[in-house]
Amino acid sequence: MPGTRPLAPAGRRLLVPALAALAIAAAIAVGIWLQYGERQAMDTRYIAGSSAADRIDISASVQRVDATGRELTLRLLVTPHGALAEEGGLAPAQDLVLQTSSSVRGDLSFKAHNRISAVDVPVTLTGGSITDYPFDAYEAVIEFSAQQGGRGVPVRMALSNSDSLFTARADTVDDPEAAVLDLSLARSNSVLIFAVFMMAAMWALAVAVLVATWFLVTRRKGLVWPALGWMAATLFALAAFRNTAPGSPPIGCILDYIAFLWVEPVIAFCVVTVVAVGVRAESAAEREPKGA
């Protein structure tokens, strides 16, 4: 365009670091925003049950989700309030029994006048499959009702999530005699992002090996040992890289069928092809007259 000047060499040299710094700052900003969103999700508490003054409070926290075993570990802290508690609120005034849903294994009993300690209980998960990793999702119905002294008493439950590999959401189910939450679990954003990155990185490395193989074979480079070492190292490094997937999913999930189970044979084929063609090229070079 008239009146415009090309960027001076010094300006071009400064432009590249400036753009790189801008890209890094943008990546950091997006990362902080994603981490803040996950932190807010983990701080969210889902409330169900009665708000009566004389009630049993249950603070429930998802400690760990075992997708392979299809269960989660739920940590419960039970606190009686009002006339249901002794002075200080650390022990029930009468024998307390917490009745649970079928997905929670077994009812819980607490003796009168004894301090109540936190307890971990397993909860069975329904729906979903680990083979859908990293897009697998699960459900569980968590229900608590209480009896003290042989009569039903109000219950209030507050549920939170402490497993950073999963995002939890819960819907309240109306029940006048119990506290019920319909819990849904899905992989967290950080797990999804890293798993997608793993699949992209596996294919990028496979394509890089494939391009290098094409270059070595078409130009009859022979046995280029540094290239062969890099290709073989990539073959075994990807197996170790796959095992770093968050949550340690078993072989046979979507991650494998989209990337891992394909890129490994591709790289192995490339290594064998380079060796076979390289041996032929080396043999042909040795048979040629030295003066040729």
Side-chain angles (χ1 to χ4, degrees), residues 60-144:
S61 174
V62 177
Q63 296 296 301
R64 185 178 64 88
V65 178
D66 181 6
T68 305
R70 299 183 66 80
E71 73 174 21
L72 64 84
T73 301
L74 194 66
R75 179 162 296 173
L76 304 177
L77 180 60
V78 180
T79 307
H81 287 279
L84 306 180
E86 287 189 338
E87 187 176 355
L90 298 178
Q94 303 179 58
D95 289 348
L96 174 64
V97 177
L98 288 184
Q99 298 173 330
T100 64
S101 59
S102 58
S103 61
V104 184
R105 298 183 189 175
D107 296 338
L108 303 174
S109 299
F110 303 96
K111 294 292 185 181
H113 317 302
N114 290 336
R115 182 178 180 274
I116 299 177
S117 300
V119 60
D120 291 346
V121 297
V123 179
T124 302
L125 298 174
T126 60
S129 173
I130 187 63
T131 57
D132 294 336
Y133 179 94
F135 308 107
D136 50 332
Y138 307 91
E139 297 177 350
V141 176
I142 301 176
E143 176 182 351
F144 289 100

Side-chain angles (χ1 to χ4, degrees), residues 129-247:
S129 173
I130 187 63
T131 57
D132 294 336
Y133 179 94
F135 308 107
D136 50 332
Y138 307 91
E139 297 177 350
V141 176
I142 301 176
E143 176 182 351
F144 289 100
S145 60
Q147 288 189 350
Q148 191 175 58
R151 62 183 181 86
V153 293
V155 178
R156 183 174 183 267
M157 173 173 53
L159 178 68
S160 62
N161 176 37
S162 299
D163 191 335
S164 60
L165 298 181
F166 283 85
T167 297
R169 292 181 176 84
D171 295 323
T172 303
V173 178
D174 292 332
D175 191 327
E177 299 181 355
V180 186
L181 286 173
D182 192 355
L183 178 65
S184 300
L185 295 165
R187 299 287 174 175
S188 64
N189 290 334
S190 57
V191 173
L192 285 173
I193 292 172
F194 189 71
V196 172
F197 162 75
M198 290 181 71
M199 291 185 279
M202 288 179 184
W203 275 114
L205 290 173
V207 171
V209 172
L210 193 60
V211 171
T213 300
W214 175 83
F215 180 86
L216 294 173
V217 169
T218 56
R219 285 163 176 75
R220 304 286 180 175
K221 292 293 185 178
L223 294 174
V224 183
W225 297 111
L228 285 171
W230 163 63
M231 292 178 182
T234 302
L235 180 67
F236 294 102
L238 282 180
F241 181 53
R242 187 259 175 238
N243 290 331
T244 64

